Amino acid sequence: MHGRGGQGAVLAATILASALVEEGMCAVAVPSFGFERRGAPVAAFVRTDSKEIRQMTNIYRPDCILCLDPTVGHTVNIFEGVRAGGTLVQTTNKPLADLLLPPAIATVGLCDAVTIALAIFRRPITNTIMLGALAKTTGLVSLAALRAALEASEFRDAGLAQNLTALQRGFDETVVQHLDKADRAA
Amino acid sequence: MPGYSTIAFNPDLCDGCGECMTVCALATTGSTAHARARLQIVPGDEEGRFELALCRQCGDPRCVANCPAAALTKNATTGVIDWDGDKCVDCLLCTVGCMYGGIALDPQAHRVAKCDMCGGDPACTRVCAPGALKHVTTARIYNEVGDLEDLFVPGLSGCQGCNTELLMRHTMRRIGPDSIVAAPPGCVPGMGAVGYNGLTGTKVPVFHPLLTNTASMLPGIKRFYKRRGRDVTAVALAGDGGASDVGFQSLSGAAERGEEILFIVIDNEGYMNTGMQRSSCTPYGAWTTTTPVGRESMGKTQDAKNLPLLMVAHRCAYVATASTAFMEDFYAKLDRALQASKRGFAYLHVYSPCTTGWRFPAEKNIEIARKAVETNFVMLWEYAPSTGLKLTRSVDEPAPLADYLQALGKYRHLAPEQVEHIERHIQDDVARIKQYSVAAAAASARVG
Amino acid sequence: MSAVIQPRKAQYVVCDGNEAAALAVALARVDMVAVYPITPQSSLVEYLAKFVADGKLAAELVDVEGEHSVLSVLQGAALAGARTYTATCGPGLAFMFEPYIRTPGLRLPLVMSIVTRDTLSPQSVWGGHQDAMSVREAGWIQMYCESVQEVLDTVVMAYRIAEDHNVMLPVNVCHDGNYLSYGSTRIELPAQDAVDTFLGTPDVNWHAALDPLRPMAIDPLTGGAGGVGPALFVGYRKGQCAGMHNALEAITATHQEWGRITGRQHAPLIEEYRMDGAEFAILTLGSMTGAGKDAIDEARTRGLAVGLVKVKTYRPFPVAALAAALNDVKAIGVVDRSVDFGWNCGPLYRDTLSALHHVAAPIRSQSFIGGLAGADITVEDFGRVIETTSALVRGAGGATIWINDKDRAPA
C-alpha cells in the first residue's frame, strides 16, 4: 500500500488485516515508518494466508499494489518487485491509457478517490474508499468484512457513517479492467 | 511546664524617649505620670545609654519567696507573677528581694505595683519606636511542639553547630509520624538520617532518592496512598544542589503537575556535604572548592539562581522562604506549607548557614542566619496563587552588608568591586521582590 | 482497534504490538503507570492514556516530564505497594539509566517494555536491539518477543515472574520497534478472570516498604572498608544473583502455567525449532525469528540439516538450556540486531560462545549483524545466513558479517 502521510495508509492496512481475519484468513499488517510528516511517502504491507504467518517483515514481491495517492508514483517506484500477473488498484481521475504500467500488471482497478473523498470528508483522505476499490478489483476481501472491520475500529458516529459511505462508493465507482498480453505489450 | 511570653529590652536601641512609661502609667493607673509607670527607663552609667527596671516574671521569683502574706504568686498559666491587693500587708519585703527593680512602691497609691503584661498584650512594646522593647512570644512554639516527639534519634553525626540538623528536627517534630521522608544525598543523610550499614537515624519511613529524582519518587508514593484513601505526608528534605542543579527537572515537573508533596530545600549555598563545591545557589564572590581564590580567580563569578522565585513562576500552591533565626516565621510557614501540600505542590526554601563550609565559628550559626536576613542578603516572603507574593519581614532600613560578609570566611578575599557587585545584586533583588509584593497587594486591594 | 476485555471469555482482536502491550497492562490491573512518549513507543502510551480515559484501565496515570522521572515515580509507587508499568526505548532508556540501574538493587518488581530502538548516533528513530543490549548487565530480567501475541502474553507473565518472592527483580519485555510495535495481526485476548487468578493480588513491598505503618529506612549507606558494610553489600549483591538464578525456574513455571490456562505454549527460555538431527543451527532474537523459521523450512526442503534456536530469555542468560540445545551441532550462525563494541560482533553471539564452554566438542561459529535502524531481515537474508553457516561445518568462521551493508534504494 502506497500513500502519503495523513491519508491513512497505515490505518487502511490494519483495517484490511482485520477484515481478512473477519473472513477467517490469517493476516499481518506491517507499516514502514519514517518521521511521521504529512505528505511524505508512506508504505504499508499486508500479508494474508490461510495458514499462520510467521514473517514480520516488509513485502518486496507484492501480488497487489494499492495506491492511495494519484502522484506518489512519481516519487517512489510503486511497481518495484511486483509479481507477474499482478494487480494495481490506483487512485486517479485519468483513464487507463494515460497510466504507465509495467508488463507485470494484469489487472487494474481505477477509482477517482480524491473527488469522492472531497465530497464525503471535504479532505483528500482516500484510505477507506480505496479499500472498497480493492475489494471490487481483487475480490480478496468482502465488502461485508470491511464494513465489520470499520465498525470495530475507532471510527464512531458520523465518522463511521462517512467511512461506510466511502467504502461503498469506492466499491461502486471503481472500474476494473483486465489487460490482455497485447495491451500490456503496448 | 509551659514556656511564657516575655518583654525583652535592647539597650542599644533605647533613646530614652519615655513613651513606654507614659502608656504604661496610662494603661495601669489612668494617669500619665512616669513615676506611676510599672516599668522605669533610667539613665545608665554611660552618657546617652539607658537601663530598664521591670518585672522579669522570674521562674523562681525572690519577691514571692519574700512575701509573708502570700500576696504574690507565680501564675502557672500565664507565667505572670500576680499581686493580690487583698492579701498584701504593704511590708515592701518583696521590693528588697527583687534585683531588677521589678516591683516598687506606687507613690500615689502607697502600695506596691508591678507589671501584669497588660493581660498578654503589653502596651509599652507597641509604642516603642526604636524597637528597644519587644514582646517575645516564641515560647508558644515550645508550648505547641515541646511535647511532640523528635523523629530523629539523638547523636546524628552532623557537624558541630549544624543548622540543618536543627531545622530537620524542628520540621519533622511538627509534621509528625504519619509521613515519609525523602533525603537525597547531602547533609541530611550524610549525618545518618537514612542510616549506615543497616542502622537508621529516623523514626519514620525514610529513604535515599537519587540526587536527581526526589521530586518524582515522592509523588509516586503520595499518589498511591491517595488512591488507597490514606493521608500520608510526603516530605523532601533536600539540599540546594540537588534541587537547583541536577534535580531541577524533576522538581519543575512535579511543581507543574501540582504533585501533593512538601518540598523543603535546605539552602547552604553549595555542596557542603561533599566538601564545599559550588552549586547554582552559591552566591557571587563566594569561595568554594570549585570556585577557589587564586591569582586568576576570586570566587564564584555568577550570581545565585533564585530558586524560590522560579518556584513562584510555577504557580505552586505555596512557596515561602524562611530562616532558622526567625523560628516563629518558620513555623507559621511550615504550617501553611503543610496545609498547601494537601492540595498541591508546597515549596519551602530555608536559608541555612553552614559553619563548616562558610568558615565561621559553630556557635555563631543563628547570629549569621539573622544577619543574612537583617542585611537583606536573603529575604523572607511567602507566596500563594490567591494572594501573590507577600514580604513577611520588612526589608527597609537593612543593616550594613559588611556585618554579614565580614563574618564569613568564604567572603574574606572580596575586593571592593566584588562587594559593590553584591550590593547591586541585593538592591536589584529587593526592588524586584518589592515590586511583586506591591503588585500583589494592589491586586488583592482591587479584588477586596 | 477498540478491543474490550471480557470478564469471562477469551476473544480475538486485531492489533499491533504496542496495543497488545497496553492490553496486557489493563489485564494485569496495574495500579500505576508513568509515561513519557518516544518513537516507536508513543502509540503504546497513547493506548494506555486512552484506556484510562475510557475506564478500561483503573490505574493512576502519571504523565511525567521525562523518562528519568518515569521510573522514579514507579519506584516510589512500588515502595508504597503498587503494581506498576512503563515503556520506553533508545534515548529514553539512556536518560532513564540512573534510576534504571538502581531498580534491581531495590528488588522492585517493576515491569517495563522496551520497544527496541537503535541508539544514537547516527540519529535514528527506527528499530534495533542496541538500547536493550546496552543495559543487559544492569540486573533486569530481559525477555524478547517474537510475535504480537507473545507481547501480550509476556507482559502479563512478567508480573508473575517479577513478583515471585524468590525472584523480586524488575522485568524488561522487549518487543521490536517497527516490526512488532506497528505490525498488526490477530491475537487472542484472555479473559480477565483468568488473568486475575493467574496473577493474584500484588504483593510487591513485603520486603521493602515506605509506609508509616511499617517504618523502615530504605537504602541506608552500605559498604566502606573496615566494618560490617562490605559483608552486607556482598549479601545484597548475592541476593540479586540468587534472584536471577531463581528467575530461570520462575520463568519456566510461569510459561507452563500460562500455557495450561490459555493453550499457548511459548518457549520460556529458548525455543528449539527443527533442531532434530540438525548439523548446524541459526540463533535468533525477537521478531526476526518468523522469517528465520520460514527460511529453515526452505533449507530443510533443499536437504540442509539446519535448525533454529530462538533465545527468548536473554537475562538471566539460559546457559544450560542453550548448551544442551547446541550440544550436537557442528556450527552456529548467530544473528544479532545490535553490536557488541570492542568485540565487534553481536552480543548474543558473544554470550552464546561463553555458554558453549559447557559443550564438549568445539563448535564453529559466525556472527551476523542485521536489522539495524529499522532495516528488515528477510527470508532471503536468512537464506544467505544459512548458506554461510552451512559452509562453516567444513571450514572456519570469519569476521562479523553485516547483513544490510549492501542494501540500496530500489532503482
Side-chain angles (χ1 to χ4, degrees), chain C residues 36-222:
Chain C
Y36 186 83
I38 182 168
T39 303
Q41 159 265 36
S42 299
S43 66
L44 199 170
V45 305
E46 288 167 4
Y47 283 121
L48 289 168
K50 185 85 168 60
F51 290 175
V52 171
D54 292 345
K56 285 186 200 173
L57 168 58
E60 183 85 4
L61 178 78
V62 195
D63 280 309
V64 293
E65 80 294 339
E67 291 86 352
H68 192 284
S69 285
V70 159
L71 209 53
S72 305
V73 164
L74 298 184
Q75 286 179 352
L79 285 164
R83 182 178 278 168
T84 60
Y85 176 80
T86 192
T88 191
C89 65
L93 180 60
F95 183 40
M96 187 189 274
F97 188 65
E98 194 191 16
Y100 180 89
I101 199 169
R102 189 190 196 197
T103 313
L106 287 169
R107 306 301 294 270
L108 298 178
L110 274 55
V111 172
M112 176 172 99
S113 291
I114 301 180
V115 189
T116 56
R117 168 175 160 175
D118 235 310
T119 58
L120 315 184
S121 271
Q123 176 70 255
S124 168
V125 295
W126 296 278
H129 293 161
Q130 198 73 46
D131 52 0
M133 283 296 169
S134 299
V135 295
R136 67 190 186 275
E137 320 297 7
W140 287 59
I141 291 168
Q142 291 190 325
M143 292 186 283
Y144 284 77
C145 300
E146 175 183 342
S147 67
V148 176
Q149 181 73 62
E150 197 175 15
V151 171
L152 181 131
D153 292 339
T154 307
V155 171
V156 172
M157 286 191 283
Y159 286 98
R160 180 151 156 164
I161 295 161
E163 293 169 12
D164 185 314
H165 283 202
N166 292 319
V167 177
M168 292 306 288
L169 287 171
V171 177
N172 284 147
V173 180
C174 305
H175 71 260
D176 290 2
N178 297 68
Y179 297 97
L180 284 180
S181 65
Y182 305 143
S184 291
T185 187
R186 185 183 83 147
I187 63 164
E188 189 183 298
L189 202 56
Q192 183 66 63
D193 284 0
V195 177
D196 288 347
T197 310
F198 177 73
L199 290 183
T201 311
D203 180 20
V204 302
N205 69 343
W206 54 274
H207 64 307
L210 284 169
D211 184 345
L213 301 178
R214 281 191 286 155
M216 64 175 87
I218 297 297
D219 224 2
L221 284 170
T222 303

Side-chain angles (χ1 to χ4, degrees), chain B residues 177-181 189-190 193-200 202-213 215-225 227-228 230 232 249-254 256-257 259, chain C residues 31-32 58-66 68-69 72-77 79-83 95 98-99 102 106 205 209-224 227-230 232:
Chain B
D178 216 3
S179 56
I180 291 166
V181 176
V194 183
Y196 291 106
N197 292 335
L199 302 172
T200 181
T202 308
K203 302 177 193 170
V204 292
V206 62
F207 69 105
H208 255 133
L210 299 165
L211 192 58
T212 44
N213 71 358
S216 42
M217 275 188 86
L218 272 179
I221 298 164
K222 174 71 186 186
R223 283 188 187 227
F224 184 68
Y225 281 122
R227 255 186 110 69
R228 291 288 152 96
R230 284 178 59 186
V232 171
Q249 173 172 327
S250 63
L251 177 63
S252 175
E256 181 265 334
R257 295 190 302 275
E259 301 287 358
Chain C
D31 296 304
M32 194 172 298
E60 183 85 4
L61 178 78
V62 195
D63 280 309
V64 293
E65 80 294 339
H68 192 284
S69 285
S72 305
V73 164
L74 298 184
Q75 286 179 352
L79 285 164
R83 182 178 278 168
F95 183 40
E98 194 191 16
R102 189 190 196 197
L106 287 169
N205 69 343
L210 284 169
D211 184 345
L213 301 178
R214 281 191 286 155
M216 64 175 87
I218 297 297
D219 224 2
L221 284 170
T222 303
V228 297
L232 279 171

Side-chain angles (χ1 to χ4, degrees), chain B residues 154 165 304 447:
Chain B
E165 181 176 348
V447 173

